[in-house]
Amino acid sequence: MRSLKEDILATTDKNLIIFSIDYDLVDQKVFWTDLGAQSIQWISMDMKKKGTMVKGIKADCIVVDWIGRNLYWTDGTAGQILAIQLTAIWRGKSEYTVVLDNDLNQPRSLALDPLNGLMYWSEIGGEPQIEQAGMDGSSRKILLSQGLGWPTSIVLDQLSWKIFWSDDKFHCIGSANLDGTGISMLQLTQIKSPFSVAVFEDEVFWSEMKTRTVQRMKKMTGKNRAVLIKRLEQPYGLKVMHEVLQPRSSNPCLDAECSHLCLLSPQSKGSCRCPAGLLLADDGVNCVPLKESAFLFLGLPTVIMQIYLKNLDASRGQATLPGHRILPFTNVNQLASMDYVAQEKVLYLTEWNTGDIWLLRLKDSGKLSWRKIISVEGTVTDLAVDWLSGNIYWIGSENAHINIASPRGQYSTVLLSGSLYRPTCVVLHPPTAVMCFVDLGPQDDGRRGSSIECASMDGSRRKVLWRKPQVPVGLSFSDAGTRLYWADPGRGLIESIQQDGSRYRVDRRGIQGLNLFTYGQGMMFWTTVDDAQISKVWYSKAELSENRWFQVDQKIVDLKVYSKLSQQGTYPDTTHSTPTPKTSESGKRLTPKAVQPLQGTKSTKTRSPGPEGMNYPVRKILTPPIPALESETPETKEGGQPKDSHREKLLLCSSDFCSGRGICTMQGELRKCNCLMGYSGDFCEAAAHGPAPGHIALSLTIALLVVLVILGAFVYFRREHKLKRNRTASSRNLTCHKENDQEEENLMNSETFVNEAYDEQELLTSLQTD
């Protein structure tokens, strides 16, 4: 800038136009974009290395975030602001993320303030204006909307903390304070089209299209104007390079531990983002494919509808359904209730007017494998599954009981019955080992009314949380388990309370036709039915008052929210400030002695003394866990985050998952049981026929002696031994066939679920093209 000596850093095709450039002093790189090649490229300042960051994009302006280590650009055609890591290398796959695209018309120029996590951009489509937002797209606001003609370029001046812009329509360079005040215009005589602007110290620089020059002047007065460069070629992109323009600072993204991209925010924190085709998981850190993200299950009479929560953004008060897929059940007359274990992809269903609980494995091939696991008298009106141990809890219509059974439906018993009158709903929070339920009270005692009660998942520590004369539905835990939500259809309310019985509040009022309710992923979902029997599904962030909806043409009988990460007990709860209680007592797995299996609903009630002199049934499991293998539920930080990943692993894969009779191991994302001698089954729930473990050593010794005898006699009795071996093999095959027939006795014909209105690959493609 002082000697005006020129160096050629890179030469490109003459047909290409380099619209925008920027640099990174940390890695000593210069970046540029040209509209013709639709790419962003870079070259090292020593000209020894070069590369391509991204292809297939249209970038009007690029800017380097030297602190967060990202590169941002505007796409005026698509109306987007995007970002990619500075170290990205083009490998034939897009690795960028969309920072902002809502209500953007034609963004042109972009400027970053990484020290404060802010970005500024000029809008030239429709009403010209200059806007501000966090570098993660948050806290958006309009900075300037008056006195702008065609703001082609903007730049921040860190010395005066002003924003400067070039105006192609008014032939001027303007400036203003960063709060939008103090607007000033410097008229440029004999200048037709200022294109790009830069500021350094007390001077402002710009490129001019008509005269093909680069000029400068005093930024505050417009004096000392001079031409620095004049040539036949047209100068476009312009940037001043100096170390004071990229001051060093700590990078908040280093602490965010994002799996892919991390963007700076105004709160000096890192905000995790995902490339196109991936979605941010519930933990706010990892990026997962769409099929692994959170979703809503809608139970209709004969089908279940799956709607990914990410697809709800496109449905704002529309009558049409968002993207979804259908799981049809031709063997079911009418669904009653459901629950789902995400890690194993297992769905549990009940049916009206039957006492059957069905287990369905949703296989990756698209098949549904059916199995009836529990059959009792009457109707199973509600069920819940402990996704840590696999135990199944349910409520039947014939008895005022809360029942429990093993993961395969064996060893069912009554868990809770004392002082229960009409239980209608049961919900679990396995990480804290807490069970809550609704009891409508005795029919002949209007004074008592219904109640919401909680207990440990073994049936102990029972307490009343809330009493009221109405009928609560849709009882649901908050994601961290410290708050309970429910709906009151009679009064049109959605209510909630802390798990300790404090801080009751009304979350929604005046809901006409309220029918069903659930809570999950920080969102509330409820259904309404109007006089014309039209069903709507409403949803809203718990902390916001804005409600959205979509219409469903069938009757809705149940709805639940699920995700793989939320069933790991690590989802942060943002709806309250009370930390998750420690689980040194309630978080322990159940360890009573083995109980007798029940036939139908004729149960043997096993009781144990409870608090306040009352007796409560204990939570049942198959056998006492092995002490050496037992793992306790980890204590959690505020918001439900585990203190370390190793203890979380133990929580996900404890000996309880294998019924205390085996070692649980993680094979990828699935839990598998290595059963101890004498036990078998997927969960080591079955006792294998054979000698007791105490006689294993003796049996092995005898077996070895028998083998030696057989080998010694082999030379003399070869023919007889061969015939005997054939007979033994035939017998073994017959036994194996009998076992297989028994295993498949209740296995129904597989069904293929058809996606009638939702194509996952098509959605991923549209996400990339959008």
Side-chain angles (χ1 to χ4, degrees), residues 6 61 67 87 106 161 205 216 224 251 287 300 302 319 327 367 384 398 470 489 512 552 620 680 712 740:
E6 296 180 20
C61 176
I67 294 179
T87 56
Q106 192 175 348
W161 287 112
F205 304 80
R216 72 178 179 187
N224 297 343
N251 183 4
C287 296
L300 308 179
T302 57
L327 281 66
K367 297 288 186 178
E398 296 297 313
Q470 302 297 324
Q512 300 295 324
V552 179
K620 302 300 189 295
S680 62
N740 289 336

Side-chain angles (χ1 to χ4, degrees), residues 52-277:
T52 300
M53 297 182 66
V54 61
K55 289 184 178 181
I57 55 97
K58 295 181 180 180
D60 296 287
C61 176
I62 64 172
V63 190
V64 167
D65 168 17
W66 67 91
I67 294 179
R69 312 306 297 156
N70 296 305
L71 184 136
Y72 287 66
W73 74 90
T74 58
D75 186 335
T77 303
Q80 295 177 331
I81 297 176
L82 309 99
I84 194 171
Q85 289 180 326
L86 280 178
T87 56
I89 299 175
W90 175 251
R91 298 184 178 91
K93 181 180 179 182
S94 299
E95 297 180 357
Y96 59 84
T97 186
V98 176
V99 181
L100 200 61
D101 64 351
N102 292 330
D103 302 323
L104 285 180
N105 194 345
Q106 192 175 348
R108 178 61 179 269
S109 184
L110 182 68
L112 299 180
D113 177 14
L115 296 175
N116 296 296
L118 296 173
M119 66 179 180
Y120 301 81
W121 70 95
S122 64
E123 174 73 63
I124 60 175
E127 294 293 330
Q129 57 192 23
I130 295 177
E131 298 187 54
Q132 170 194 294
M135 290 173 61
D136 59 351
S138 63
S139 307
R140 178 180 174 184
K141 69 177 183 179
I142 297 176
L143 187 68
L144 293 171
S145 60
Q146 302 295 327
L148 299 175
W150 192 265
T152 56
S153 177
I154 64 173
V155 65
L156 296 181
D157 178 22
Q158 300 174 6
L159 190 61
S160 63
W161 287 112
K162 288 179 177 291
I163 185 169
F164 285 76
W165 67 91
S166 58
D167 197 312
D168 186 38
K169 181 178 181 180
F170 293 157
H171 313 300
C172 70
I173 290 179
S175 65
N177 298 324
L178 293 182
D179 60 0
T181 63
I183 299 177
S184 175
M185 301 290 187
L186 298 176
Q187 293 294 329
L188 301 177
T189 59
Q190 300 178 352
I191 294 297
K192 299 295 184 182
S193 301
F195 184 82
S196 182
V197 63
V199 174
F200 181 62
E201 294 181 338
D202 61 348
E203 292 182 315
V204 58
F205 304 80
W206 72 93
S207 60
E208 210 288 307
M209 295 176 61
K210 297 295 184 181
T211 60
R212 296 176 177 173
T213 60
V214 175
Q215 303 185 40
R216 72 178 179 187
M217 65 181 177
K218 294 295 182 181
K219 66 183 181 185
M220 303 307 296
T221 64
K223 296 181 179 180
N224 297 343
R225 180 173 169 182
V227 175
L228 299 180
I229 299 174
K230 182 176 177 63
R231 59 182 58 199
L232 294 177
E233 295 83 4
Q234 170 62 55
Y236 285 99
L238 175 68
K239 190 73 65 170
V240 175
M241 183 187 303
H242 196 280
E243 60 182 8
V244 300
L245 297 177
Q246 292 189 355
R248 299 293 181 90
S249 180
S250 60
N251 183 4
C253 283
L254 296 178
D255 299 325
E257 299 182 352
C258 301
S259 64
H260 288 70
L261 289 98
C262 177
L263 308 181
L264 300 180
S265 70
Q267 294 78 28
S268 298
K269 295 182 180 179
S271 178
C272 298
R273 292 298 182 89
C274 299

Side-chain angles (χ1 to χ4, degrees), residues 736-768:
C736 180
H737 284 303
K738 288 182 179 180
E739 291 177 353
N740 289 336
D741 291 341
Q742 181 67 29
E743 177 72 15
E744 299 297 326
E745 181 178 356
N746 292 324
L747 183 64
M748 304 183 64
N749 292 331
S750 297
E751 298 181 2
T752 303
F753 57 84
V754 181
N755 185 351
E756 298 178 351
Y758 171 79
D759 185 87
E760 192 167 293
Q761 186 61 41
E762 180 181 343
L763 177 64
L764 292 178
T765 303
S766 66
L767 284 174
Q768 295 174 356

Side-chain angles (χ1 to χ4, degrees), residues 690-707:
H695 301 285
I696 293 176
L698 180 60
S699 300
L700 290 175
T701 303
I702 295 175
L704 290 173
L705 292 176
V706 171
V707 170

